[in-house]
Amino acid sequence: MVDAPNSSTLLHLCNLSSSSQSSCTKTKERQSRLAILKRWCEEHPSLTKELLTQADHRDTNTGCMPLHWLAGTGFDEAIDYLLGSSSSSSSINHENNAIISLAVDQPAHHPSTARTPLHYAARNGHLSTCQLLIERYGANPHPKCGRGGVTPLQLAVWQNRLDVVKFLIQKNGTHVTKERNDFNCGLNHWLGLIPRKRWCSSSAAAGGGGGGGGGSSRKRDDDATACHNSDEQHNDDDDGSGVLPLARYLHTLGISYESTPDNSNTQGHTCNHKAAWGGNLPLLKYFRNEHGVYDTIQDAAGNYCADIAKMRGNMDCYQWLLEHGSGDRAESYKVLGLDVGVGMDIVRRRYMELAKLNHPDKAAQYYDTDNDEKKDDVVDDFIKIKQAYDHLTKQNGIGTQKNPKYDELRLLECQKKMKDDGGGDDDDYDDDDDLFVARLIAVITDYGEKGFPVGLLSRRWNQIWPDRPFPTEYVIERSVKSYNKDGGGRNDGTDRVVIQRRVKLVKWLKWKCRGTNVKLHQNGGEVLAVIDNKSTFRTVYPTNLT
């Protein structure tokens, strides 16, 4: 008789070991774990049922139950045993009808609210597990979790699981590819967020954790190699081009990658923004080269794709977006009537041709007429041609896409520097406070009217201004009168002393932003920083940002 199971031992059993083991070792381990599970079910049926079904025994970090971990690690034999036992009383000696109530669509608990075992099987690339859950046990092929309405299909795209994506679309129909989650993100947005460790080809080994992502998984049986080099991979197999087969497949089903407001999510992010966020340069090139997508759309916070790439530290993407992905560069080629990317020799020849046809001297033929509008058109055309030529040949076609609010902030910084250099009025309000609040407002406006979670301020701030890190110590200062005895024995109250006190972030922010239109509001369990546009207090930042 084996020892009785508990929450910890059952979850550990459901979390298979690393796929780096040999095939023989993995097979033996699976058989050993399955044997223990069967013994628990036979010798401790009521307890095992409770551990499998009651929320009190969930994984406290992820909210997942043992069945989620089995699906997340691809332990098909154990899933088949438990779910098969749930539908057949002959498989186990059910004195108390112990395992029969286990549901194939068992929902996870907070923070993985309402995710089903299929969510984790799809996310971690276990095709055989997805087939088992749906085809043998009738799992809902398109469940939506309680946080954001995310589906197994979206998670499979996020993890670059092409075979699982095809299977789920086959089971659900192509209409599901057009669905958006609660954040208005479609499959085209999830593509750009594929993590670097999953950039290798979609046929790569299934990896990642179990129900909550904390464990390891086995390699799928049909994987001959971890990653294979494809025609799309120009350098290493993990350069990001491994996501292109999935991108092209989704496009064949009607997925659009165009950068338009209608194709953006609630943050105003296009799929191009997401690729910049994820740092996937081959995907950015694919969007431009095959779909004519350029960095011309600002998100709800005013950020171009180049801004997002720079904030995330994806400097290769940032530089490429400026040099090759900007709308400015494409527009300059368009003005010259050339295809984007042609060589500079062709650009120069074309410029000479257009300059002769549109030179301002040509306007002389209109000098003796009353056609002033025509004269202006000739001059304007030449100016545009000359600017386009200079942009491509002298400035290398570098784009100018940049969130304007950061430029306006730099003006404020320059004003302070000039004031410091020239000597300012000591009685004025502290300009350093002005600069802090200005930067703070720049961060807050990224979330629009909803406000920005105070707990995330430092992370976002440091992304934008890594050379000016967010304060880590919060000290409030207060000036009070100091009463000293003068020669005549009187307290004259003419001296002052500064008292400093360490406080927590929220209290420090309230003090730091006193007298401004930055306000802090409690919203459920978090504090939000918002801009009060109706406030009569001092505004230290251009009003068009708020």
Side-chain angles (χ1 to χ4, degrees):
M1 184 172 183
V2 297
D3 293 337
N6 57 44
S7 301
S8 178
T9 57
L10 180 56
L11 286 170
H12 176 73
L13 180 139
C14 294
N15 180 23
L16 284 175
S17 301
S18 170
S19 60
S20 61
Q21 296 176 330
S22 67
S23 177
C24 180
T25 301
K26 287 189 294 182
T27 299
K28 289 181 179 179
E29 182 182 1
R30 298 166 77 87
Q31 292 174 345
S32 174
R33 292 186 181 221
L34 181 60
I36 295 174
L37 179 62
K38 289 181 177 180
R39 291 283 297 276
W40 281 342
C41 291
E42 292 168 356
E43 299 176 8
H44 308 281
S46 297
L47 174 59
T48 306
K49 173 185 178 180
E50 179 181 333
L51 295 175
L52 287 167
T53 60
Q54 297 302 307
D56 290 344
H57 301 290
R58 68 189 183 278
D59 174 53
T60 54
N61 291 326
T62 66
C64 291
M65 300 298 292
L67 186 58
H68 297 93
W69 284 89
L70 291 173
T73 56
F75 200 164
D76 293 355
E77 300 90 336
I79 295 172
D80 199 22
Y81 173 73
L82 291 177
L83 294 181
S85 301
S86 297
S87 59
S88 174
S89 60
S90 61
S91 299
I92 300 179
N93 179 20
H94 294 294
E95 295 179 1
N96 298 313
N97 209 26
I99 314 299
I100 293 179
S101 61
L102 188 60
V104 65
D105 290 324
Q106 184 180 38
H109 305 277
H110 180 80
S112 304
T113 308
R115 286 196 179 187
T116 69
L118 183 62
H119 277 91
Y120 295 104
R123 184 194 71 176
N124 291 349
H126 299 299
L127 177 59
S128 63
T129 308
C130 295
Q131 294 169 333
L132 179 69
L133 293 170
I134 295 174
E135 295 178 343
R136 182 174 299 182
Y137 295 108
N140 179 356
H142 198 58
K144 298 182 179 181
C145 74
R147 297 181 65 195
V150 177
T151 66
L153 175 60
Q154 292 172 347
L155 293 179
V157 170
W158 172 49
Q159 290 294 304
N160 197 21
R161 312 291 189 180
L162 180 56
D163 51 356
V164 175
V165 169
K166 289 182 176 180
F167 171 73
L168 291 175
I169 292 175
Q170 175 193 354
K171 289 298 177 182
N172 289 287
T174 57
H175 67 280
V176 298
T177 63
K178 309 300 193 300
E179 289 184 0
R180 302 289 185 102
N181 62 23
D182 294 350
F183 305 104
N184 203 32
C185 285
L187 299 184
N188 52 357
H189 296 93
W190 286 95
L191 271 174
L193 298 178
I194 294 174
R196 290 176 185 266
K197 65 181 180 181
R198 291 296 312 149
W199 278 359
C200 57
S201 171
S202 300
S203 65
S216 57
S217 67
R218 66 183 178 93
K219 192 186 221 181
R220 292 198 309 271
D221 295 336
D222 60 344
D223 286 331
T225 57
C227 296
H228 70 268
N229 293 323
S230 70
D231 292 337
E232 304 299 342
Q233 294 171 310
H234 309 294
N235 299 307
D236 298 329
D237 60 1
D238 60 351
D239 69 345
S241 56
V243 310
L244 299 187
L246 177 57
R248 289 196 171 100
Y249 168 72
L250 292 176
H251 182 62
T252 65
L253 302 179
I255 295 294
S256 171
Y257 300 125
E258 63 180 356
S259 283
T260 63
D262 291 340
N263 207 26
S264 304
N265 68 2
T266 53
Q267 293 176 289
H269 283 177
T270 65
C271 55
N272 216 31
H273 281 91
K274 293 303 185 186
W277 177 272
N280 194 322
L281 183 55
L283 189 59
L284 289 169
K285 292 180 178 180
Y286 164 73
F287 289 152
R288 188 204 67 176
N289 295 341
E290 299 192 25
H291 300 280
V293 173
Y294 289 90
D295 187 10
T296 58
I297 299 294
Q298 293 172 272
D299 66 13
N303 294 311
Y304 289 95
C305 301
D307 293 313
I308 296 294
K310 187 176 183 181
M311 288 179 197
R312 293 284 291 173
N314 301 322
M315 300 310 294
D316 56 340
C317 294
Y318 169 70
Q319 198 63 35
W320 183 87
L321 284 165
L322 290 181
E323 294 180 0
H324 304 287
S326 74
D328 297 331
R329 187 169 185 269
E331 182 61 26
S332 292
Y333 275 109
K334 182 179 178 181
V335 169
L336 297 178
L338 297 172
D339 293 332
V340 176
V342 300
M344 288 300 104
D345 289 342
I346 297 177
V347 170
R348 292 186 183 92
R349 287 199 300 269
R350 180 59 174 166
Y351 168 69
M352 295 302 296
E353 294 172 1
L354 294 176
K356 292 178 181 179
L357 294 173
N358 298 275
H359 196 277
D361 290 346
K362 187 177 179 181
Q365 61 184 293
Y366 304 106
Y367 288 168
D368 297 330
T369 73
D370 295 329
N371 197 344
D372 293 334
E373 183 177 349
K374 184 64 176 178
K375 298 175 186 176
D376 292 339
D377 288 344
V378 173
V379 174
D380 290 344
D381 288 343
F382 180 79
I383 291 174
K384 291 178 181 178
I385 293 168
K386 183 67 166 61
Q387 288 176 339
Y389 173 73
D390 288 344
H391 179 228
L392 293 173
T393 58
K394 296 181 180 180
Q395 302 169 31
N396 296 320
I398 294 292
T400 58
Q401 63 268 41
K402 186 186 299 181
N403 192 328
K405 68 183 178 183
Y406 302 130
D407 281 340
E408 293 169 358
L409 179 56
R410 289 189 184 94
L411 289 176
L412 189 59
E413 292 171 342
C414 290
Q415 289 175 354
K416 179 186 182 301
K417 186 176 186 305
M418 291 172 63
K419 185 174 182 179
D420 291 342
D421 293 343
D425 187 349
D426 292 337
D427 293 332
D428 285 348
Y429 187 86
D430 189 350
D431 287 322
D432 287 332
D433 284 343
D434 274 354
L435 288 177
F436 174 84
V437 175
R439 295 189 188 109
L440 183 64
I441 291 177
V443 173
I444 296 172
T445 53
D446 281 359
Y447 266 44
E449 297 180 355
K450 295 180 180 179
F452 198 99
V454 167
L456 300 179
L457 279 176
S458 61
R459 184 176 71 177
R460 184 64 165 175
W461 176 296
N462 292 336
Q463 287 176 343
I464 302 172
W465 300 290
D467 56 333
R468 302 181 185 90
F470 192 83
T472 56
E473 294 185 353
Y474 314 118
V475 178
I476 287 179
E477 296 180 350
R478 187 162 60 97
S479 176
V480 297
K481 292 181 179 181
S482 175
Y483 291 92
N484 300 313
K485 295 284 187 179
D486 63 7
R490 294 182 298 102
N491 291 329
D492 59 14
T494 57
D495 294 331
R496 303 187 70 84
V497 63
V498 175
I499 298 176
Q500 296 183 331
R501 182 161 59 100
R502 294 183 184 276
V503 295
K504 293 190 175 180
L505 174 59
V506 172
K507 190 166 186 176
W508 180 77
L509 284 173
K510 289 181 178 179
W511 172 77
K512 194 74 171 175
C513 300
R514 65 198 183 282
T516 74
N517 58 341
V518 176
K519 302 299 173 187
L520 301 180
H521 295 313
Q522 188 79 27
N523 182 26
E526 64 180 354
V527 178
L528 300 177
V530 299
I531 308 301
D532 184 3
N533 289 320
K534 298 179 181 179
S535 173
T536 59
F537 292 119
R538 180 177 56 88
T539 300
V540 299
Y541 210 65
T543 56
N544 65 322
L545 296 181
T546 59

